[in-house]
Amino acid sequence: MTPAERLIVALDVADLESTRRLVQRLAPTVTHFKIGSELFTACGPAAVELVQKAGAKVFLDLKFHDIPNTVARAARMATRLGVWMFNVHLQGGVAMCREAVAAAQEEAQKSRGSGHPRPLVLGVTLLTSMGEKDLVDLGIRKTVKDQVLYLTQVAQKAGLDGVVASAQETKVLRFAAGPTFVIVTPGIRPAGASLGDQVRVETPAVALKAGASYLVVGRPITEAADPVAAAQAILQEMAAASPQ
Ligand code: C5P
């Protein structure tokens, strides 16, 4: 994969006009965009369509977490939208995750034609904004690393395509889960960038060297004075870290 195929820009904005402005500027330098709860709650499927019409792919980051039946229905709707990837919370359990994949598979064939690939289904391990103390506060008596590894086993057991995890756990996960497992890493900060609310962060080069499949970058690109230049700088760093 080229660096551009491995960069996902988080569209954490609240209206279609801001989305259009960012997508128009960033595409085709950026070919993958992430739509999360803020934008989807505000604008719904229209935001997905806007990105797709620009020729880019959508990672629908709604982190489904509910009873298996409800998550399966949501997975069908995400599949109908033609998204490239969506995710579920691994803490929802094996049955919930398994049903999400099965529903996506079935719906892809039903509504998009046989042979049409289903969206990739990823599991969220632990949010990158959470550190050791947050686990203690939740009554979880495990280190961040152990909890992430444990949840990754849940993902594998349920047949998910991969996980979302911090770059700091990526090396261990890549080793444990093998070369084809998808690892998406948010919490990416070029050297010297502001952390925002992220706790477990790494640079693009470190994340790729640790074995990340895709990098999610939000504010360092979307809030830059020149988002295209910021994206290009990150793509260059990615290219240097993983020569083709
Ligand atoms: O602006 P920033 O680069 O911190 O954005 C990271 C994006 O990745 C946000 O949209 C956030 O919701 C998302 N994310 C995350 N940690 C996860 C999963 C998703 O930061 N574990």
Side-chain angles (χ1 to χ4, degrees):
M1 281 193 288
T2 65
E5 285 167 330
R6 304 177 71 176
L7 175 66
I8 305 171
V9 171
L11 291 170
D12 291 329
V13 291
D15 59 86
L16 284 183
E17 202 30 58
S18 313
T19 309
R20 189 171 295 118
R21 223 176 298 131
L22 271 173
V23 172
Q24 267 174 4
R25 283 183 87 174
L26 287 168
T29 307
V30 172
T31 51
H32 297 64
F33 290 93
K34 184 172 85 62
I35 293 177
S37 27
E38 180 188 8
L39 182 56
F40 199 77
T41 303
C43 305
V48 174
E49 211 174 291
L50 193 155
V51 173
Q52 289 169 334
K53 280 202 172 134
K57 293 184 178 175
V58 173
F59 167 19
L60 190 63
D61 178 25
L62 297 181
K63 303 183 180 73
F64 298 134
H65 187 178
D66 211 312
I67 56 170
N69 182 59
T70 302
V71 167
R73 284 165 174 259
R76 280 182 194 280
M77 294 307 112
T79 305
R80 243 184 240 181
L81 291 178
V83 304
W84 160 68
M85 177 190 278
F86 72 87
N87 57 4
V88 298
H89 254 296
L90 290 166
Q91 287 175 47
V94 175
M96 186 203 82
C97 296
R98 207 174 260 153
E99 291 202 23
V101 179
Q105 180 75 42
E106 218 181 277
E107 189 63 34
Q109 294 193 349
K110 201 168 101 190
S111 62
R112 306 187 69 78
S114 65
H116 198 281
R118 66 165 168 78
L120 294 169
V121 187
L122 298 198
V124 176
T125 53
L126 207 60
L127 299 175
T128 40
S129 55
M130 293 183 72
E132 304 288 349
K133 184 176 177 304
D134 298 289
L135 287 190
V136 173
D137 289 347
L138 284 175
I140 297 172
R141 289 190 185 79
K142 277 204 180 90
T143 61
V144 164
K145 201 167 101 189
D146 285 348
Q147 178 69 353
V148 169
L149 263 171
Y150 186 78
L151 288 168
T152 298
Q153 285 167 8
V154 170
Q156 291 188 294
K157 221 169 161 182
L160 297 195
D161 300 294
V163 292
V164 183
S166 138
Q168 292 182 0
E169 287 93 45
T170 297
K171 203 170 186 172
V172 171
L173 292 187
R174 178 56 72 213
F175 184 75
T180 59
F181 196 65
V182 175
I183 304 177
V184 173
T185 62
I188 300 296
R189 292 292 178 269
S194 124
L195 294 191
D197 58 354
Q198 298 284 19
V199 174
R200 291 174 295 130
V201 299
E202 282 301 354
T203 64
V206 169
L208 285 186
K209 284 184 182 145
S213 318
Y214 301 97
L215 309 185
V216 173
V217 185
R219 289 162 287 184
I221 291 177
T222 56
E223 291 181 2
D226 184 344
V228 179
Q232 278 165 343
I234 288 175
L235 288 171
Q236 263 168 26
E237 185 178 340
M238 291 170 72
S242 59
Q244 297 300 298

